[in-house]
Amino acid sequence: MATEITVPQLGESVTEGTIAEWLKQPGDAVAVDEPIVSLETDKVAVEVPSPVAGVIEELRAEVGDTVEVGAVLATVSEGGAPAAKGDEANRDQGAGEPGGGKKGAEPAKAKDADSGQAAYGNHDEGTGEGNQTLSPAVRRAVLEYGVDPSSIKGTGKDGRLTKEDVIAAAQSKEGGNKGDSASPAPSPSSTPATVSSGERREERVKMTRMRQTIAKRLKGAQDNAALLTTFNDVDMSAVMEARGKYKDLFAKKHDIKLGFMGFFAKAACLALKDVPAANAYIEGDEIVYHDYVDISVAVSAPNGLVVPVIRDADKKGFAQIEKDIADFGARAKDGTLTMEDMKGGTFTISNGGVFGSLMSTPIINPPQSAVLGLHRIEDRPVAIDGKVEIRPMMYIALSYDHRLIDGREAVTALKIMKEAIEDPTRMLIDL
């Protein structure tokens, strides 16, 4: 008996998604609730599980296809025995020959050739596990860094490779070669194909649905809002001293590290309370104000930037804010964030400093009217009481919609945040 697996409800107002990656191929065994395919929507990647245990019988869509809610993705033969490895190999080898296999059973690499997604699944993995399908981002990293994906242990969901795994493996390989000039040359089977001198290559990869949505929203923000950015710099000495003094006690009590984002989130809550326009948005000819603060935190995910929301940040303590951020970061990497995680948000904080950014002009996250940009901390000479001292300084930027927020309000909001970070006691006594 064959069971159809269909596209589930993907969230409010979301009616379709794009096939990003098949996690199972025809002939593969699947357990109840085991994911078989990853779908990309406008905001998140959603894994679709099998409702029954059995064997994948047929795939009804290709990587890159757009599928609507309710459409049939695949069929599962309930209770069927998984194919033996030898049988799998024979099936794959004969897929291109007359009678060599049923529709949908061709090798993964050939199947994905036109979609821009390569699958390294028809050879034995270093772990001895089954097929390993690489996402476009991972595939590009494999080609760029020239590493063998079968030799890398994946840290993603269900042991799948992430782009970060490939980069770490390449750096480890590079460091090992520098430290041991006598190390043996890699075997021919694991050596990437070399490009002859002077040859130039191009690769055309279709934009993911998430990247297309990011592009439209950011361009829409520029087209529709009167964007302006104001800057300030912050002496991080007090926050760094507080972290150094209490980080061990904080971690012991709350089981989470005390980071910088908790301080900036609470500082932003103070500023938004005094400058409510920065926590509002324009809808038609009306201004919608909020008496709560839901902070969208920009998080880097394998498929692009996502902005999960810390709900009621103004009512939460440092520990809960840090736990929320850590949870978002882990789930963004695993691809398990949901539509609900990113719904709403009244103000955004983006931390480019983790990537080394010194200064930037962030773009607002519509329909929000303001975004705070954080940057790297570096020692700089500053004048303190008439004397030059070296202090850990950070540039901060507030981009805002000038249709709603006046320059005086924007500067005031940023100044409140600066004062709160330089004197954290203000956050305790609500100044």
Side-chain angles (χ1 to χ4, degrees):
M1 176 181 177
T3 298
E4 293 183 339
I5 300 177
T6 60
V7 179
Q9 290 294 328
L10 300 172
E12 184 179 352
S13 77
V14 179
T15 60
E16 62 182 23
T18 300
I19 303 289
E21 179 182 2
W22 280 107
L23 309 178
K24 294 288 185 178
Q25 294 294 322
D28 288 349
V30 63
V32 176
D33 292 332
E34 184 177 5
I36 67 161
V37 63
S38 176
L39 299 180
E40 274 193 351
T41 68
D42 292 347
K43 294 183 178 181
V44 294
V46 179
E47 291 188 338
V48 180
S50 172
V52 296
V55 174
I56 300 295
E57 186 176 89
E58 182 182 10
L59 306 183
R60 298 283 185 88
E62 302 273 346
V63 171
D65 287 354
T66 296
V67 289
E68 296 184 350
V69 171
V72 178
L73 294 169
T75 57
V76 176
S77 177
E78 296 184 46
K85 282 189 176 290
D87 293 338
E88 280 188 13
N90 292 334
R91 185 184 67 246
D92 288 343
Q93 290 172 1
E97 302 172 3
K102 59 188 174 183
K103 180 181 177 181
E106 61 270 16
K109 190 169 185 178
K111 179 180 178 66
D112 291 339
D114 293 335
S115 70
Q117 178 172 352
Y120 296 80
N122 295 319
H123 56 77
D124 288 339
E125 300 299 329
T127 58
E129 296 176 356
N131 292 350
Q132 180 181 189
T133 304
L134 306 185
S135 69
V138 174
R139 175 176 175 261
R140 288 195 295 271
V142 166
L143 294 174
E144 179 181 353
Y145 291 97
V147 297
D148 180 7
S150 65
S151 66
I152 306 171
K153 183 175 177 59
T155 62
K157 187 174 180 62
D158 296 328
R160 295 200 295 277
L161 286 185
T162 67
K163 181 180 178 181
E164 290 75 14
D165 295 333
V166 175
I167 294 174
Q171 292 174 341
S172 175
K173 176 182 176 183
E174 185 176 308
N177 289 340
K178 288 180 180 179
D180 183 8
S181 58
S183 58
S187 62
S189 63
S190 64
T191 303
T194 58
V195 179
S196 60
S197 177
E199 181 179 346
R200 305 199 307 171
R201 302 174 62 188
E202 291 183 352
E203 181 184 12
R204 188 179 296 271
V205 179
K206 184 177 180 180
M207 293 174 69
T208 64
R209 176 178 288 269
M210 186 183 298
R211 177 52 60 186
Q212 292 178 49
T213 301
I214 291 172
K216 291 176 183 177
R217 286 176 61 82
L218 293 181
K219 186 56 182 173
Q222 289 183 320
D223 291 342
N224 299 323
L227 291 178
L228 190 62
T229 304
T230 184
F231 298 91
N232 214 320
D233 60 356
V234 176
D235 184 346
M236 298 292 291
S237 298
V239 166
M240 293 177 72
E241 182 181 351
R243 287 185 70 220
K245 184 176 181 179
Y246 296 112
K247 64 179 181 180
D248 292 338
L249 289 173
F250 188 88
K252 184 177 180 180
K253 179 175 180 179
H254 300 292
D255 196 27
I256 191 72
K257 292 182 179 179
L258 178 60
F260 290 124
M261 283 295 288
F263 287 94
F264 278 102
K266 297 304 289 184
C269 291
L270 280 182
L272 299 179
K273 180 179 179 181
D274 286 0
V275 186
N279 194 42
Y281 67 92
I282 294 175
E283 187 173 69
D285 58 357
E286 297 179 328
I287 300 174
V288 180
Y289 292 94
H290 305 95
D291 66 353
Y292 54 87
V293 179
D294 286 351
I295 296 181
S296 302
V297 181
V299 176
S300 180
N303 293 329
L305 198 69
V306 293
V307 279
V309 180
I310 303 174
R311 315 255 177 223
D312 296 316
D314 52 324
K315 298 179 176 64
K316 290 181 177 178
F318 282 78
Q320 189 56 55
I321 289 175
E322 293 291 353
K323 287 178 180 178
D324 287 351
I325 293 171
D327 176 60
F328 290 149
R331 290 198 287 135
K333 183 178 179 181
D334 291 343
T336 55
L337 286 172
T338 66
M339 301 288 288
E340 189 63 27
D341 291 325
M342 286 172 282
K343 183 179 178 182
T346 63
F347 181 81
T348 294
I349 298 179
S350 178
N351 185 8
V354 297
F355 305 110
S357 172
L358 177 64
M359 188 178 293
S360 68
T361 55
I363 299 177
I364 63 173
N365 179 24
Q368 298 172 21
S369 60
V371 53
L372 174 66
L374 308 182
H375 303 91
R376 76 171 185 250
I377 302 170
E378 63 177 9
D379 289 341
R380 292 201 300 268
V382 293
I384 306 292
D385 297 329
K387 297 180 180 179
V388 176
E389 296 186 15
I390 303 299
R391 295 290 183 94
M393 304 297 294
M394 176 197 287
Y395 289 115
I396 57 176
L398 185 73
S399 290
Y400 57 98
D401 188 347
H402 210 347
R403 297 177 303 164
L404 174 59
I405 303 171
D406 295 331
R408 176 185 61 83
E409 294 175 308
V411 171
T412 298
L414 201 60
K415 184 170 178 287
I416 292 173
M417 296 181 210
K418 169 184 169 70
E419 292 172 344
I421 294 298
E422 293 184 338
D423 183 7
T425 306
R426 288 173 171 268
M427 288 184 265
L428 298 177
I429 58 178
D430 195 16
L431 281 181

